[in-house]
Amino acid sequence: MNVTDSEIKSLLQNYQKIAVYGLSNDPSKPSHYVPVYIRDKGWKVVGTYPKEHNVGGFAIYKSLKEIPKEDRKFIDVFRSSDKIPEVIDEILDLGGTEVIWLQLGISHPEAEKKAEEAGLRVVSNRCLIIEHKNYF
């Protein structure tokens, strides 16, 4: 993670659009209720999910490449830690992303380092709800 605690608030202030990688259709999962929370606090949220759904009224795309480039500058990732290297590779291949946020419990130091070396800001093992409540 190359973002310090003191930089988290400014990241959230500077990026008002968030693409959620793995936005679930199950309202009981963090990968659904975290995006709902952040959308309800004023951010534009779109997501990816392999199966079509319209739960929560989000724009859901089958893949990250289908999300408009301007909507994927900040990507919030809900994938298991072992999947992070392939997620990082996909993000780097597509280009246009500036911030990768790995949710609470998710980290992969080697993949994070690769993203950092490519110039991306990386936050890992942090929950958007908790961080939002800390600063707003």
Side-chain angles (χ1 to χ4, degrees):
M1 182 167 107
N2 64 355
V3 174
T4 64
D5 289 348
S6 63
E7 295 172 299
I8 288 178
K9 181 179 181 181
S10 66
L11 274 183
L12 294 176
Q13 289 173 320
N14 292 333
Y15 292 89
Q16 293 297 304
K17 296 178 182 178
I18 297 176
V20 178
Y21 196 113
L23 199 159
S24 176
N25 59 354
D26 182 345
S28 70
K29 291 186 174 183
S31 55
H32 183 83
Y33 65 75
V34 170
V36 168
Y37 173 91
I38 210 71
R39 179 197 59 203
D40 291 350
K41 296 299 180 186
W43 280 262
K44 177 184 178 185
V45 177
V46 299
T48 66
Y49 199 73
K51 299 175 186 171
E52 287 187 37
H53 75 80
N54 61 2
V55 179
F58 292 102
I60 302 295
Y61 300 86
K62 286 188 178 184
S63 69
L64 194 57
K65 70 181 176 185
E66 293 178 16
I67 295 177
K69 192 173 184 176
E70 64 272 7
D71 290 343
R72 54 180 158 86
K73 290 183 180 183
F74 184 121
I75 300 177
D76 181 24
V77 180
F78 284 93
R79 292 296 311 266
S80 59
S81 293
D82 64 313
K83 301 289 186 194
I84 297 306
E86 64 190 56
V87 171
I88 296 293
D89 286 344
E90 180 181 3
I91 290 169
L92 293 177
D93 286 346
L94 287 171
T97 299
E98 298 171 6
V99 177
I100 298 173
W101 186 292
L102 305 177
Q103 278 294 140
L104 193 62
I106 304 170
S107 66
H108 193 288
E110 295 84 15
E112 291 172 44
K113 184 176 181 185
K114 184 176 184 178
E116 291 168 2
E117 288 172 350
L120 279 70
R121 308 302 314 270
V122 179
V123 177
S124 63
N125 193 29
R126 298 287 184 112
C127 176
L128 276 172
I129 292 175
I130 293 169
E131 299 306 325
H132 180 268
K133 288 181 177 181
N134 281 340
Y135 296 106
F136 299 96

